Amino acid sequence: MFLLKISKIWQELTAFGRVGLVILLLLIFMAVAAPYITWQPHNISSGPSLKPPGGAHLLGTDELGVDLWSQICYGARVSLIVGLGTALLAGLGGAIVGTFAGYRGGWTERVLMRLIDIMIVMPDLPVMVILAAFFGSSLRNIIIVLALFSWSHPARIVRAQVLALKEQGYIKMARIYGGGDLYIIFKHLLPELIPILAVSMIRLAGMAIVTEAGLSFLGLGDPTSRSWGLIINHALNFSGIYFTPFWKWWLFYPWLFLTLLITALALLGRDLERIADPRVAKG
Amino acid sequence: MKNKGLRIAEYLVTLLVIVTMNFFLPRLMPGDPFLHLSGDAGQEIVTFTKEQQEYFAAYYGLDRPLPEQYFRYLTGLTRGDLGFSYYYKDDVAAIILRRLPWTLLMVTAATLLSLILGIVLGSYSAWRRESWQDKATYLFMIIFSEIPAFLLGIMFLTLFAAALGLFPLSGGMTHFAGYTGWEKVKDILHHAALPVITLSLARSGGIFLLVRNTLTTVLGKDYMLTARAKGLTKRRIRYRHAMKNALLPLVTRVALQLGGMVGGAVLVENVFAYPGLGRLMRDAVFVRDYPLLQGIFLVLAFGVLAANLLADLFYRTLDPRTREGELHGKQEPDNGEQEGSSHVLA
């Protein structure tokens, strides 16, 4: 049943969505299997510094002689944790707020919608820079802050969907027959909400990964995590890196993997959006 | 439709939330300010005597009750007092004012360029809907708009500045070159070119999609058929009748994107070591200059909010349909559609 559904989605994807999905799966594999596909330590020096790719070091080494391929494989874990963590937290929170607003209506809805409006006009990167600077940038803090500033998107979509569903005959009927609020929400609304929520969460994950990379790039990443953004930050901080050949691996590979991951997520998300909600597929 | 007053009130509340957050953040931080003032690693740690602590607490107003501190903070802000930077040893407002022109230059230039790019390519695509030109443009714009600005910037910097040497590697102008007049303008534009192009390319995807979609919708409307039946020229139909309607939603779109644009600018400035507020923000993070960091944040947030409010009010006067409850019934579906297409890219 599950496999059937997956193959159905696969068939509905465009070529770009498929490419995105394959790249995403490969990167997830890289993150999960990191200890098995690397042969150098990812956190301590294992050779001469700034060695070009080749030999024992697949992608070369950085200025401390740490193997880049290992760093990138383990760095993939950071990106995925941030993406997944934020998407789950914000998706869940947004879904609860959205359902509550749409289902309750009245002043609850009005207050929540104003709150969402406020969140939307906030310039999020500067806010996150401030919060990360004040509260310290452990991975956990970054995920919490990211989630705090991204729940408004799923909340809006979920609310719109709940509003539409509430007027459906079968839901009105269920209420007339005495179905409680929780019963209606879990039995009738939730199954309809899951597809659009999942798509929104893919978007959230992409956004979270970009923002984490941006924060790390600004020097606000978790210094113990060694994310891709942090490798880029170190490489760019190496003074005069462009006057040396070092950027050809030290800067290029983390950049490449980050761009691949983000583009793959975006392409897949765009495609799934079209499948889940044909209304917005005009684009 | 909400009325103007409510809208302005909403922005004021947002601003108050931001200001309040800014006020409470340093006070929520773990630790005591007197521990922070004292000593770096390796230095002899200075301990404050009771009298000194009391003196400083009184000097900074920390001995007053919280509401009073808050009120003082607010009145200070209205006078343009953003505090004192303890790294640069200067007023935060003065430091920010010196850097602001660079960021303003970049953000306005990028906004204009992305608008032009989005409108030109979007209408090009819409007129040739479903042709290979449309598909190629679409693909190009989607891929570029999905890559975040700072990664795009790193790519451009490496390609066009480091490898090909076409553009300067960093900075906003050549120092000590002694350029004057036209030479100086050329130098500044040369330095600004790559960051601005990066930011506009990364941001024009949304505008492109919006123009392409609204134009396609507009082209299918009845009044387009009427215009064609009247025998109007293709040009007139396209630019007077279709474009005018398609451009309206752009006002709100550009304003909504401004938050993202500012975020992108902060990062892109750091890629190109461009001397604007984004670069300053990173420097402030690096030396942990909190007053400066907060000042920059306030200025950026205020700019974004003000632009949004202006766009909101401007849109109302621009589009007769949104004025005071006319055509109330027809308003709703239009709005829904807009919301629908905007969250795709949000």
Side-chain angles (χ1 to χ4, degrees):
Chain A
M1 184 62 205
F2 187 64
L3 278 175
L4 206 75
K5 218 168 181 178
I6 285 184
S7 77
K8 200 169 153 254
I9 289 178
W10 176 259
Q11 269 162 17
E12 279 188 57
L13 286 177
T14 62
F16 297 110
R18 289 182 189 177
V19 172
L21 186 60
V22 170
I23 293 176
L24 190 65
L25 289 177
L26 281 177
L27 290 174
I28 291 176
F29 171 76
M30 248 174 76
V32 175
Y36 306 102
I37 53 174
T38 60
W39 50 93
Q40 302 281 5
H42 69 281
N43 42 11
I44 52 167
S45 176
S46 59
S49 63
L50 296 166
K51 208 178 138 319
H57 302 281
L58 190 61
L59 301 181
T61 60
D62 69 2
E63 97 272 38
L64 297 172
V66 187
D67 185 61
L68 262 181
W69 169 245
S70 302
Q71 278 191 62
I72 285 176
C73 284
Y74 280 90
R77 292 183 163 187
V78 180
S79 286
L80 288 179
I81 289 173
V82 167
L84 206 68
T86 311
L88 282 178
L89 261 181
L92 211 67
I96 293 172
V97 172
T99 314
F100 199 62
Y103 193 78
R104 262 300 178 68
W107 66 267
T108 329
E109 181 180 15
R110 248 173 285 151
V111 169
L112 287 174
M113 287 313 284
R114 286 298 77 78
L115 195 63
I116 288 174
D117 283 350
I118 289 178
M119 299 304 289
I120 285 172
V121 286
M122 282 249 203
D124 20 344
L125 188 88
V127 174
M128 283 185 220
V129 168
I130 283 280
L131 289 179
F134 273 107
F135 289 114
S137 42
S138 71
L139 214 51
R140 195 197 56 193
N141 281 0
I142 288 179
I143 292 175
I144 293 176
V145 169
L146 281 171
L148 269 179
F149 281 87
S150 44
W151 57 267
S152 53
H153 178 238
R156 235 159 55 124
I157 308 182
V158 164
R159 169 186 163 265
Q161 187 81 356
V162 169
L163 281 184
L165 286 172
K166 224 166 65 168
E167 299 306 315
Q168 295 282 323
Y170 69 95
I171 290 188
K172 282 188 169 162
M173 202 67 102
R175 191 162 325 140
I176 291 169
Y177 278 121
D181 289 344
L182 284 179
Y183 173 81
I184 290 173
I185 287 172
F186 282 103
K187 187 82 186 173
H188 292 303
L189 293 183
L190 205 60
E192 299 285 327
L193 294 177
I194 281 177
I196 53 162
L197 198 59
V199 173
S200 166
M201 274 157 73
I202 289 183
R203 284 259 148 192
L204 286 179
M207 190 227 66
I209 290 169
V210 172
T211 316
E212 189 276 334
L215 286 176
S216 305
F217 166 73
L218 285 179
L220 281 169
D222 187 337
T224 59
S225 73
R226 273 285 167 181
S227 71
W228 293 343
L230 213 60
I231 306 176
I232 295 178
N233 174 45
H234 283 301
L236 283 181
N237 275 349
F238 187 83
S239 37
I241 185 164
Y242 285 116
F243 299 110
T244 66
F246 307 150
W247 62 264
K248 285 175 188 161
W249 62 94
W250 190 11
L251 180 61
F252 178 69
Y253 289 115
W255 177 87
L256 180 72
F257 278 98
L258 193 53
T259 310
L260 271 181
L261 173 59
I262 290 163
T263 321
L265 268 173
L267 290 178
L268 182 65
R270 198 174 275 280
D271 238 14
L272 289 179
E273 220 155 51
R274 182 180 51 84
I275 296 171
D277 187 359
R279 257 184 324 131
V280 295
K282 292 171 298 181
Chain B
M1 214 67 221
K2 286 176 289 182
N3 62 29
K4 253 184 205 175
L6 199 74
R7 208 65 198 154
I8 296 175
E10 201 180 297
Y11 278 98
L12 282 180
V13 169
T14 313
L15 189 64
L16 199 66
V17 169
I18 288 174
V19 169
T20 310
M21 195 175 93
N22 228 4
F23 170 77
F24 277 108
L25 270 181
R27 287 164 176 82
L28 282 176
M29 273 228 298
D32 190 274
F34 298 108
L35 294 176
H36 276 271
L37 268 177
S38 50
D40 242 326
Q43 257 178 332
E44 188 100 9
I45 297 217
V46 188
T47 43
F48 288 87
T49 63
K50 195 89 188 135
E51 288 82 55
Q52 276 174 320
Q53 284 196 16
E54 271 161 18
Y55 170 76
F56 279 122
Y59 181 79
Y60 289 114
L62 291 177
D63 54 345
R64 313 290 176 91
L66 212 55
E68 198 188 326
Q69 286 183 36
Y70 183 59
F71 185 71
R72 278 176 153 213
Y73 177 72
L74 286 186
T75 47
L77 279 184
T78 54
R79 285 197 310 269
D81 176 14
L82 290 176
F84 192 80
S85 153
Y86 43 71
Y87 180 76
Y88 292 91
K89 307 271 187 295
D90 198 353
D91 269 328
V92 169
I95 303 173
I96 290 178
L97 273 183
R98 276 202 297 275
R99 299 289 199 102
L100 190 62
W102 295 106
T103 302
L104 272 182
L105 170 74
M106 209 168 97
V107 171
T108 24
T111 307
L112 286 179
L113 194 61
S114 67
L115 261 177
I116 295 171
L117 210 66
I119 292 174
V120 169
L121 292 178
S123 51
Y124 176 87
S125 255
W127 308 139
R128 294 167 186 73
R129 189 93 195 192
E130 299 301 329
S131 68
W132 68 266
Q133 291 107 320
D134 168 41
K135 282 178 186 147
T137 323
Y138 179 77
L139 183 67
F140 176 82
M141 292 307 278
I142 292 305
I143 291 195
F144 270 102
S145 66
E146 294 298 1
I147 302 178
F150 78 102
L151 291 178
L152 206 59
I154 292 175
M155 183 172 106
F156 285 169
L157 181 70
T158 322
L159 268 181
F160 298 115
L164 297 175
L166 294 176
F167 292 96
L169 272 171
S170 65
M173 57 195 277
T174 317
H175 290 283
F176 314 115
Y179 290 140
T180 47
W182 178 236
E183 283 285 299
K184 189 171 174 181
V185 174
K186 249 170 64 183
D187 184 49
I188 289 179
L189 287 181
H190 193 211
H191 278 84
L194 268 190
V196 168
I197 292 174
T198 305
L199 205 52
S200 0
L201 252 188
R203 286 280 141 194
S204 53
I207 296 167
F208 164 80
L209 274 187
L210 188 64
V211 171
R212 184 171 171 267
N213 289 346
T214 36
L215 263 185
T216 318
T217 322
V218 166
L219 285 179
K221 289 257 163 80
D222 286 346
Y223 63 79
M224 294 309 292
L225 195 67
T226 314
R228 223 168 292 149
K230 281 198 311 194
L232 298 179
T233 58
K234 218 172 181 180
R235 248 181 103 98
R236 204 178 157 81
I237 296 177
R238 280 186 179 180
Y239 296 99
R240 291 275 308 192
H241 291 249
M243 272 300 229
K244 218 169 146 187
N245 280 299
L247 294 189
L248 261 180
L250 278 182
V251 178
T252 22
R253 165 48 65 88
V254 167
L256 266 182
Q257 272 201 354
L258 203 71
M261 179 75 104
V262 166
V266 167
L267 292 169
V268 168
E269 276 181 14
N270 281 297
V271 173
F272 294 96
Y274 205 72
L277 287 183
R279 185 76 187 164
L280 189 63
M281 196 167 206
R282 184 196 140 113
D283 292 342
V285 165
F286 202 69
V287 297
R288 302 281 146 168
D289 192 336
Y290 292 109
L292 183 56
L293 201 53
Q294 289 189 291
I296 300 169
F297 166 62
L298 264 191
V299 169
L300 290 181
F302 184 76
V304 171
L305 286 187
N308 268 299
L309 179 59
L310 279 181
D312 225 337
L313 300 179
F314 186 56
Y315 186 80
R316 262 152 232 262
T317 44
L318 215 59
D319 189 352
R321 284 171 299 188
T322 55
R323 264 182 231 147
E324 304 309 316
E326 288 173 59
L327 292 173
H328 212 84
K330 284 194 89 170
Q331 206 75 95
E332 299 304 326
D334 263 356
N335 251 347
E337 212 170 270
Q338 238 183 27
E339 247 182 311
S341 56
S342 75
H343 74 233
V344 180
L345 290 148

